[in-house]
Structures are given as C-alpha cells and as structure tokens.
Amino acid sequence: RGSSKRRGGGASSSSSGGAPPPPDMVHMAGQRVRKSFGDEWHEGTVSWDEPFFTVVFDDGDTEDFKPADLKSLTEGVFTGARIKVFCGARLGWVEGEVAERYRKLHGTIWEAEGQPEPSTAVDSWCVWFGKEWSVVDLRASRESANESVVTPGNWIPN
C-alpha cells in the first residue's frame, strides 16, 4: 500500500491547545486499531489531531479519520472492507466490498425482506456486490457473530 494522504499544517491538539475529541470518543486516543489494505492487515495507534483522529500505522503511514469514520473502523467497517450481508431466505449471504460512506446522492438505502428494524443513513455505506452497488446499513448492532445467525439485514466481516 502506498503512503496515505495527510492534510498539511495541522499541529496536534495537545500542542496547540485545540478542542478535545468528542466526549463519547475521548477514550479512542491511544487505542490500537486494525485496517486491511487489500489482503494485508495493518495495525496502528489512534491520536487526536483536531478536527480528526489520526491513525499512525506501524509501518509509518498515517491516515486521518472523522470521528464517525473512526467509530466505523473500530466496528470493522471501512472503505475496502470485505463483508457478507444476509439478504433474506431467498438470496442468503452475499459477499461485497465496502466502497464509501453513504451520502444522499447515492439514493435509497436497501432493506432486506423481513428486516426487523428500518435502515438509517447514519451507519449506511455503499457496497459493491460484484455486479451492482447497493447502500446498506452496517451499524454495529447488525453485525452477526457468524453465518448461523440469519437475521435479514445482518452482516459479518468476510
């Protein structure tokens, strides 16, 4: 993987007296996280660099995350993540790759037939399923432990 793009000119909040991280995420600074790049996993350490969290990977590359994106990363959802989504009894588990976070321009959020609760935009991502795109709600509460949990709309890391 190549070096990640880094925004220039930002001093860390600890040295610049900037705003602290969001209260519900202050615990993330100093945490270790993992992210896959293709078939290779990389680990890194999280720091707060207002207005972003920055992950410094062990190989020296860095990547900035908005708070919502860092939360998703810790839940296993990020651009390039390979997942399986349970699409209901007729289609079963379908493999896909997370492409990008949902924006209104992407259109309707997909819902599986028989899905227990409605999808929301907050945790939705565009997912490429090999032949077509679909917007899928990938909130952490829908992550299944394994393929034996067959609730429509649930997902697992692949």
Side-chain angles (χ1 to χ4, degrees):
R1 86 190 162 101
S3 292
S4 299
K5 291 183 180 175
R6 174 115 170 110
R7 63 182 198 293
S12 74
S13 62
S14 59
S15 63
S16 66
D24 62 333
M25 295 191 63
V26 70
H27 69 282
M28 291 303 303
Q31 294 293 311
R32 298 284 293 169
V33 295
R34 292 177 35 151
K35 182 176 179 182
S36 68
F37 295 87
D39 292 332
E40 196 173 321
W41 285 90
H42 292 269
E43 293 187 5
T45 304
V46 176
S47 66
W48 172 247
D49 191 10
E50 185 185 5
F52 298 98
F53 283 95
T54 299
V55 175
V56 179
F57 291 97
D58 294 346
D59 64 5
D61 282 351
T62 61
E63 187 171 348
D64 293 331
F65 293 87
K66 294 177 184 174
D69 293 333
L70 181 67
K71 179 181 176 287
S72 293
L73 173 66
T74 63
E75 295 168 352
V77 180
F78 51 89
T79 299
R82 293 187 178 110
I83 63 170
K84 289 183 180 179
V85 177
F86 189 71
C87 298
R90 190 171 54 87
L91 295 175
W93 289 97
V94 179
E95 294 183 16
E97 183 174 322
V98 176
E100 63 185 22
R101 187 172 282 285
Y102 169 78
R103 296 181 306 224
K104 287 182 182 180
L105 65 92
H106 292 123
T108 305
I109 300 170
W110 170 83
E111 291 190 357
E113 186 177 321
Q115 182 173 300
E117 73 276 342
S119 294
T120 65
V122 174
D123 292 309
S124 290
W125 291 74
C126 293
V127 178
W128 175 247
F129 287 104
K131 295 182 180 178
E132 62 184 45
W133 296 94
S134 193
V135 178
V136 181
D137 184 339
L138 298 175
R139 69 181 89 163
S141 63
R142 287 191 176 172
E143 182 178 358
S144 293
N146 57 54
E147 290 184 35
S148 66
V149 180
V150 291
T151 304
N154 277 18
W155 65 276
I156 59 173
N158 190 14

